[in-house]
Amino acid sequence: MRKVILDCDPGHDDAVAILLAAGNPDIELLGLTTVGGNHTIDHVTRNAQQVLTVAGLTSVPVYRGATRPLLNDVVTAEDIHGDTGMEIHGFELPEPAVGVQDDGAVQWIVDTLMREEPGTVTLVPTGPLTNIALAARLEPRIVPRVREVVLMGGAYGAGNYSPSAEFNIAVDTEAAAIVFGEDWPVVMVGLDLTRQALATPEVEQRFAVLGTSCGDFVVGLIDAFRRNYKDAQGFDNPPVHDPCAVAYVIDPSVVETVAVPVSVELAGELTRGRTVADLRAFGAVTASGAPFSGVDGSAASACNTSVATRLDVDRFWDLVVDAVQRLG
């Protein structure tokens, strides 16, 4: 089993990512850490508690994390995720039956990585990277102990927060620069990949026919997410971003990746927050399969960053449906 710390800011798609991680038999979910992002830390932490309560996962601990970015003011995504950060239709969310631990998220991440065997824990951040950056700075010895960082964020094509930048990277750009700059393996599951994971009406129906509480919960999430995405960004069907990172951890063959250097732009007036991937390198290909022009690939073996390019959509949704069905 893959030991996972899921660092999240629920958020509709974070909620689905939690269910996928908790319901898949190949994942040992060590705990959830929360970070301000899709909404404020109070809202996203309560949302995490509610997701676990719906799924009956009362043994998964929740740790409250950073309330704000390292330098920036707080930015939220209420246009997508609603007034509570996890607006939902047709499903009544329960009062949380899962508490919040006394330890803060950053210290717990450090303590867990120092306690577990080196190379056994994967960090899966699906929100801004504030907690992960703070943990690496608080205790640099954790960096070589991490198996890999598989994050949902960034884009080598178009952004969503701005033409250049994706939301999770843009709202705490300095934290992202720290995480991409550390000497641990980083897999960037960005918008180029996650926009292939569309929650169509056919996908929604697969959860509806389960006839379970978790299945109905996902239907409510998708329905609200679809309406908000249509109003805010014009998508007919919403891309369900965050579970794609979890899917990669479960089965890397579901998500194609290519090793390329990635840097985070900190200073550009029009490009701050962009994840600059050198796609000329190492024979990288686009999501459509077209090759980029190659340059000397001699440094490929030394590259510790990679970007996701193509998703096996059918297998991805099979993983999510199976996990939700297992949770009941």
Side-chain angles (χ1 to χ4, degrees):
M1 296 179 69
R2 292 287 294 273
K3 295 182 178 181
V4 165
I5 294 173
L6 184 55
D7 185 64
C8 55
D9 59 339
H12 299 77
D13 50 336
D14 298 83
V16 179
I18 293 169
L19 297 178
L20 175 56
N24 186 276
D26 295 327
I27 294 289
E28 180 183 352
L29 185 56
L30 299 180
L32 298 183
T33 52
T34 61
V35 62
N38 285 327
H39 213 292
T40 60
I41 192 66
D42 289 339
H43 279 295
V44 300
T45 301
R46 178 178 171 84
N47 293 345
Q49 295 172 270
Q50 289 180 304
V51 174
L52 293 175
T53 301
V54 170
L57 300 168
T58 57
S59 63
V60 177
V62 177
Y63 298 86
R64 178 186 167 105
T67 62
R68 56 170 296 162
L70 297 182
L71 298 179
N72 299 341
D73 293 333
V74 173
V75 177
T76 60
E78 293 180 45
D79 58 333
I80 297 293
H81 296 280
D83 293 339
T84 67
M86 198 171 69
E87 179 184 81
I88 191 166
H89 296 152
F91 187 92
E92 185 174 351
L93 287 167
E95 285 297 309
V98 178
V100 178
Q101 303 297 309
D102 292 335
D103 293 344
V106 174
Q107 187 63 58
W108 178 76
I109 290 170
V110 169
D111 292 344
T112 302
L113 289 167
M114 295 304 294
R115 180 179 65 248
E116 297 287 343
E117 287 294 318
T120 62
V121 177
T122 298
L123 301 178
V124 184
T126 60
L129 293 168
T130 317
N131 289 337
I132 308 302
L134 287 170
R137 286 295 192 256
L138 177 63
E139 179 49 88
R141 291 181 296 169
I142 69 172
V143 172
R145 301 178 71 90
V146 171
R147 177 167 178 165
E148 59 184 344
V149 179
V150 181
L151 64 93
M152 190 281 122
Y156 58 76
N160 57 3
Y161 181 81
S162 73
S164 295
E166 181 273 334
F167 177 87
N168 287 341
I169 306 300
V171 300
D172 197 344
T173 306
E174 284 72 22
I178 289 171
V179 171
F180 277 92
E182 291 288 355
D183 189 24
W184 47 21
V186 176
V187 180
M188 184 183 90
V189 183
L191 297 178
D192 321 276
L193 184 289
T194 64
R195 283 172 170 159
Q196 300 168 48
L198 299 179
T200 64
E202 292 76 19
V203 165
E204 185 174 342
Q205 183 61 21
R206 294 185 66 181
F207 295 101
V209 299
L210 294 178
T212 65
S213 179
C214 284
D216 293 344
F217 177 45
V218 174
V219 170
L221 290 169
I222 291 175
D223 186 53
F225 208 32
R226 178 180 291 113
R227 297 186 196 186
N228 292 350
Y229 244 105
K230 179 66 173 177
D231 291 342
Q233 296 188 16
F235 281 70
D236 290 328
N237 296 302
V240 183
H241 308 283
D242 296 336
C244 296
V246 177
Y248 174 86
V249 176
I250 295 168
D251 183 357
S253 69
V254 173
V255 177
E256 291 187 27
T257 63
V258 61
V260 293
V262 180
S263 301
V264 178
E265 174 60 66
L266 293 170
E269 182 179 350
L270 299 177
T271 57
R272 175 174 163 82
R274 181 162 185 79
T275 43
V276 182
D278 187 356
L279 293 167
R280 302 170 301 167
F282 318 142
V285 297
T286 65
S288 64
F292 293 100
S293 58
V295 298
D296 179 13
S298 61
S301 61
C303 183
N304 69 315
T305 54
S306 60
V307 298
T309 58
R310 285 187 287 187
L311 178 69
D312 187 325
V313 175
D314 291 338
R315 291 174 60 205
F316 166 74
W317 283 116
D318 286 346
L319 283 175
V320 180
V321 172
D322 177 73
V324 172
Q325 187 170 26
R326 289 174 184 270
L327 292 171

